[in-house]
Amino acid sequence: MRLDRYIASVTDLSRKDVKRLLKDASVTVDGECVRDPAFQVNDEHSVELDGQNLRAPGHRYFMLHKPEGYVCADKDRLHATVFELMFEDNMERLHVAGRLDIDTTGLVLVSDDGQWIHRVPSPTSQCFKRYRLQTAELIDPRCAKRFAEGVYLGEEKRRTLPAQLEILGEFEALLSIQEGRYHQVKRMFGAVGNRVVSLHREAIGGLMLDSDLEEGEYRALSEDEIDACFAQAGVDEL
């Protein structure tokens, strides 16, 4: 990361103020005076401003209740993004851990922890995502067995990983999947001759969407909740 950007991110100083301080020889990196704002620093460097050590803040983790009509992208020319619902410093560092389609609602996780962001949606984490859904046609009870065995999606050459279907009513069910393929839930039901008309993600691993969060609202995660994403609470052995 550029030195001027690093200092601005861990202080209340503007980039303009930081560049002035660099010019005035107020900044040292590992004990050496540095005036170049483009100097690259990382977590191993010791950066001091006027003799005071500067440390990067800890990673940030949030849950957000996504409404319809928003996309899980950093920027989009046609649609509003979930980041337009958030008001945090250094927004450019925040990214979504596992996207939802524009017409899907529910739990979205946001963080600036790159490793955590990639771990949550990765199939190797076996981090099940639970969706509550409604379908256009009656749900065939045999779908539970088919989804547990895996189904082919279109021309893809491998089946989906084992998924758990809990039928709640003729047109309503819970589906827990451990992957995040493109439009996966909708395509799984399409593969068995049905169509999803409503889709809501209510849990990731052992982390449930906070029922106190209205659509469009978000809050920070606790330490226990950060780890709960990788717990398999409520998912039977498949």
Side-chain angles (χ1 to χ4, degrees):
M1 180 187 297
R2 286 174 56 105
L3 179 58
D4 58 347
R5 183 179 177 187
Y6 175 87
I7 296 174
S9 71
V10 299
T11 66
D12 294 327
L13 297 170
S14 67
R15 294 279 282 273
K16 182 178 180 180
D17 290 335
V18 172
K19 289 179 180 178
R20 177 180 55 78
L21 291 169
L22 289 168
K23 185 177 180 180
D24 293 341
S26 300
V27 177
T28 62
V29 179
D30 293 340
E32 299 291 333
C33 179
V34 177
R35 289 186 169 88
D36 181 7
F39 184 87
Q40 294 294 306
V41 296
N42 56 44
D43 292 339
E44 302 302 318
H45 285 111
S46 174
V47 181
E48 293 188 356
L49 174 60
D50 291 330
Q52 296 296 315
N53 187 259
L54 301 179
R55 296 185 181 276
H59 288 303
R60 296 170 292 169
Y61 306 85
F62 303 97
M63 71 160 62
L64 181 146
H65 188 167
K66 178 189 172 301
E68 284 190 35
Y70 287 80
V71 295
C72 294
D74 296 339
K75 295 180 181 179
D76 193 282
R77 296 176 60 185
L78 301 177
H79 306 287
T81 77
V82 293
F83 294 103
E84 295 177 44
L85 300 169
M86 302 183 68
F87 303 92
E88 299 292 329
D89 295 330
N90 301 307
M91 287 292 296
E92 72 280 0
R93 293 189 180 185
L94 295 173
H95 303 282
V96 170
R99 299 183 176 190
L100 291 180
D101 298 336
I102 190 170
D103 58 349
T104 301
T105 64
L107 177 60
V108 167
L109 299 178
V110 177
S111 178
D112 55 8
D113 183 343
Q115 291 186 342
W116 189 80
I117 288 169
H118 287 96
R119 185 183 173 198
V120 170
S122 173
T124 60
S125 298
Q126 295 185 324
C127 179
F128 280 84
K129 293 82 181 173
R130 187 167 76 243
Y131 296 83
R132 183 176 295 270
L133 59 95
Q134 292 184 330
T135 60
E137 308 294 336
L138 293 172
I139 300 174
D140 189 332
R142 293 173 294 180
C143 288
K145 184 174 185 296
R146 289 197 60 182
F147 289 168
E149 295 172 345
V151 295
Y152 289 104
L153 303 180
E155 300 299 320
E156 294 185 9
K157 296 182 178 180
R158 60 184 178 87
R159 296 174 185 265
T160 56
L161 291 176
Q164 182 182 34
L165 180 69
E166 179 184 353
I167 299 175
L168 303 177
E170 293 181 332
F171 302 91
E172 184 178 7
L174 295 176
L175 179 66
S176 296
I177 61 174
Q178 49 189 314
E179 299 173 279
R181 300 193 200 183
Y182 180 70
H183 293 327
Q184 181 171 340
V185 174
K186 298 173 184 176
R187 294 168 67 202
M188 287 176 68
F189 275 88
V192 295
N194 207 334
R195 181 169 60 88
V196 173
V197 297
S198 175
L199 188 60
H200 176 85
R201 184 161 67 193
E202 63 180 29
I204 296 177
L207 178 63
M208 288 283 297
L209 175 62
D210 190 334
S211 60
D212 289 334
L213 285 181
E214 299 290 340
E215 287 192 356
E217 294 183 339
Y218 72 99
R219 68 165 175 79
L221 297 181
S222 68
E223 289 294 329
D224 288 341
E225 288 175 330
I226 294 168
D227 295 331
C229 297
F230 306 104
Q232 300 309 314
V235 178
D236 297 333
E237 191 71 26
L238 292 172

